[in-house]
Amino acid sequence: CDWSSDVCSSDLEEELGSDILKKCHQAIDVRNNIIHKGQRDVKEDLSSEIIRAVRKCCKIFDKFTNK
């Protein structure tokens, strides 16, 4: 925990949860496959799941950074 700030990384990790973190990591993997390996067949349901997780992640980051 960084005592000079109002936010502990453990608080952020707890708020995010493992499901959101896994989907965000998956988003990075999918992005890398598209950019570096030319993948073009990303399934719509996977895309939707990833987008929802990234949006949740952004909302949580906003909550912690806009105090």
Side-chain angles (χ1 to χ4, degrees), residues 26-39:
Q26 191 173 19
I28 293 167
D29 290 341
V30 169
R31 180 252 179 222
N32 287 339
N33 287 337
I34 290 169
I35 299 297
H36 300 295
K37 296 180 182 176
Q39 178 184 353

Side-chain angles (χ1 to χ4, degrees), residues 20-31:
I20 293 174
L21 289 174
K22 285 178 186 175
K23 283 295 174 195
C24 289
H25 282 268
Q26 191 173 19
I28 293 167
D29 290 341
V30 169
R31 180 252 179 222

Side-chain angles (χ1 to χ4, degrees), residues 1-62:
C1 189
D2 178 2
W3 296 110
S4 64
S5 72
D6 294 336
V7 179
C8 289
S9 61
S10 60
D11 293 340
L12 183 57
E13 289 173 10
E14 183 178 314
E15 186 81 24
L16 284 171
S18 63
D19 291 341
I20 293 174
L21 289 174
K22 285 178 186 175
K23 283 295 174 195
C24 289
H25 282 268
Q26 191 173 19
I28 293 167
D29 290 341
V30 169
R31 180 252 179 222
N32 287 339
N33 287 337
I34 290 169
I35 299 297
H36 300 295
K37 296 180 182 176
Q39 178 184 353
R40 297 289 179 249
D41 59 340
V42 180
K43 295 184 176 162
E44 187 175 340
D45 59 332
L46 175 60
S47 297
S48 295
E49 290 175 20
I50 288 172
I51 290 168
R52 278 193 298 276
V54 170
R55 284 182 178 152
K56 285 180 186 178
C57 189
C58 290
K59 285 180 183 180
I60 292 167
F61 285 157
D62 282 345

